[in-house]
Amino acid sequence: MDFRYLGNSGLRVPALSFGTGTFGGKGQLFGSWGNTDVAEASRLIDICLDAGLNLFDSADVYSGGMAESILGEAIKGRRDKVLISTKATFRFDENDPNAVGSSRFHLLRTIDAQLKRLGTDYIDLFQLHGFDAKTPVEETLRTLDDLVRAGKIRYLGVSNFSGWHLMKSLSTADRYGWTRYVANQAYYSLIGRDYEWEQMPLGLDQGVGGVIWSPLGWGRLTGKIRRNQPRPEVSRLPGSSDFGPPVDEELLYRVVDALDDIAAETGKTVPQIALNWLLQRPTVSTIVIGARNEEQLKQNLGAVGWNLTPEQVAKLDAASAVTPAYPYWHQRTFERNPSPV
C-alpha cells in the first residue's frame, strides 16, 4: 500500500481508505448501499489491514449512528492498528433543534457521542460533513481547536465545502492561531471533475489534501453500466440516485468506452482503472472505497501497485472532459493561470 501525507500535515495515510457507509443498512439511502453487520465488518477490516489499508471513514448520520457502532465493535482490541475518520454536521435528530450544524453546543455533544459509539477516546481525523452558514466560523473553529487541545481529535478536515467556505475558514484559523483544516473530503471521479476547478488549486496552495468520496461516480463506474445494455439488477442507483452526484449519460458512456479500451490493454478492471486515474491526480491524499462484500473489496484493492501510462491518462482525460462553469472556462484562457492538471 502506498502511503501519502494528509495535506500539509505529518500524518501519513494509505492511498486507499475504507468507507463504512455500507455498515448497518438503516433507511432508504444506506439500505441501498448495503447492510454489513459486525461479523462481516470484522472480516472486511481483516482484509484491509492485510493489504496495508488502515484508515476507516464513517459519519454520525450513516445508518443513524449504526455504522460508527459497528466499526467500533469491529476494531475492538486493535484500535492502535487503525486510523479512524468520521464526520458530523447534518441533522441527527429530527426532534431536537440543536442536533444539527457546527455550533459549539452540537459539536461538543456529538463528538462525545461518536467517541462512545466508536469505543475510543480520540478520533484521528474529524471532518465537518457540510458547511453551516448559520454558525459563525469563529465559533466552529474555536470549538474544534478546543477539542484538538483536549486530545479528542488529532486532525481536522471538511467535506462538501465550496472553495470560499474553506478559504474563509483557513484564514480565520490563521488569524487566531487555531488548528487548520488539512483534509477536504470531496466528490471527484472521471465523471465528476468539478473538484479540479477550484478545490484542487486551493488544496495545492493551502496544503489541504483531498479525501475523495464516491470515486466510482456513485457506482456508475463499476463496469456494469454500458451503452445499449440494461442496468444491473443489483445496484445502489435505484434506491439512492436522488442523493448522488448528477451525470450526463453520454458523458458516462464516453468514459466507460475509454475505460473498456484501457481494460483490454492492461488486463485491469474498469473500477481499478478509474481509481488508478484518481491516484495520479494532484492533492489526492486518499480515496475512500466501499464494498458490500469481500469480492468487491479485493477488486478495489487492486487499484494500487501499478500506474496507467501517460497516454492512457490522456485518453481518460479527453473522454471525461467537460466545459467548466464561469469563471473557470474564462480563466483557462490566461497563460498566467494554468490548470493544476
Side-chain angles (χ1 to χ4, degrees):
M1 179 62 63
D2 173 31
F3 276 76
R4 305 171 173 200
Y5 287 103
L6 180 62
N8 189 26
S9 80
L11 180 66
R12 298 188 72 198
V13 295
L16 300 179
S17 47
F18 187 81
T20 62
T22 58
F23 290 9
K26 179 181 177 182
Q28 177 188 351
L29 174 59
F30 300 107
S32 70
W33 288 11
N35 57 358
T36 303
D37 59 16
V38 173
E40 291 172 311
S42 297
R43 176 57 184 155
L44 293 174
I45 290 172
D46 288 343
I47 295 170
C48 287
L49 292 176
D50 286 344
L53 189 165
N54 67 341
L55 173 58
F56 301 90
D57 181 72
S58 196
D60 61 345
V61 294
Y62 290 176
S63 290
M66 286 180 63
E68 288 180 326
S69 297
I70 291 172
L71 175 60
E73 287 292 323
I75 62 170
K76 272 188 178 178
R78 47 184 176 178
R79 174 65 180 94
D80 60 329
K81 292 180 169 54
V82 305
L83 298 171
I84 293 176
S85 162
T86 194
K87 304 177 288 293
T89 298
F90 297 150
R91 179 167 293 283
F92 192 76
D93 184 342
E94 294 296 332
N95 299 315
D96 184 344
N98 284 307
V100 64
S102 302
S103 68
R104 185 175 187 85
F105 182 93
H106 179 56
L107 287 177
L108 291 177
R109 185 168 64 171
T110 197
I111 289 292
D112 284 343
Q114 290 178 287
L115 290 170
K116 184 176 181 180
R117 287 193 293 269
L118 289 163
T120 183
D121 56 3
Y122 68 94
I123 294 166
D124 297 286
L125 172 62
F126 176 78
Q127 298 144 110
L128 297 176
H129 213 161
F131 183 70
D132 176 5
K134 300 295 185 180
T135 301
V137 294
E138 291 85 357
E139 177 180 341
T140 299
L141 287 164
R142 176 58 190 270
T143 302
L144 291 173
D145 186 68
D146 287 347
L147 287 164
V148 171
R149 293 173 187 272
K152 294 184 178 183
I153 297 172
R154 294 188 169 173
Y155 293 92
L156 297 175
V158 300
S159 183
N160 306 307
F161 273 39
S162 298
W164 76 267
H165 293 157
L166 178 52
M167 193 63 241
K168 180 177 181 178
S169 298
L170 292 171
S171 63
T172 301
D174 290 345
R175 183 183 311 131
Y176 294 103
W178 295 331
T179 307
R180 273 181 135 245
Y181 297 128
V182 295
N184 177 18
Q185 186 161 153
Y187 170 59
Y188 185 26
S189 79
L190 268 168
I191 53 173
R193 294 175 57 183
D194 303 10
Y195 172 78
E196 296 174 6
W197 302 354
E198 183 162 304
Q199 297 188 57
M200 181 184 285
L202 189 158
L204 286 169
D205 183 71
Q206 294 294 313
V208 180
V211 178
I212 306 305
W213 64 262
S214 207
L216 298 180
W218 209 254
R220 295 178 175 94
L221 297 177
T222 59
K224 298 177 182 178
I225 300 177
R226 287 185 170 82
R227 195 187 305 271
N228 300 322
Q229 290 188 14
R231 293 295 176 100
E233 293 182 7
V234 179
S235 170
R236 71 158 67 176
L237 286 172
S240 66
S241 59
D242 290 344
F243 299 96
V247 61
D248 176 77
E249 286 205 345
E250 182 53 37
L251 170 64
L252 170 61
Y253 295 142
R254 189 169 72 231
V255 169
V256 171
D257 288 344
L259 287 167
D260 281 337
D261 290 344
I262 295 172
E265 295 173 6
T266 61
K268 303 295 184 180
T269 67
V270 164
Q272 288 170 347
I273 296 166
L275 295 173
N276 192 270
W277 177 85
L278 281 170
L279 290 172
Q280 299 189 51
R281 313 305 275 185
T283 74
V284 173
S285 293
T286 187
I287 296 173
V288 182
I289 59 172
R292 293 171 179 264
N293 52 52
E294 294 182 25
E295 180 184 356
Q296 287 183 349
L297 174 56
K298 290 176 179 177
Q299 182 182 123
N300 287 339
L301 289 169
V304 297
W306 59 281
N307 278 324
L308 295 163
T309 67
E311 293 76 18
Q312 290 166 341
V313 170
K315 183 171 186 174
L316 292 170
D317 287 351
S320 59
V322 298
T323 301
Y326 176 82
Y328 310 108
W329 62 260
H330 192 280
Q331 292 170 355
R332 288 186 176 183
T333 67
F334 182 34
E335 64 188 73
R336 300 293 292 270
N337 190 25
S339 170
V341 290

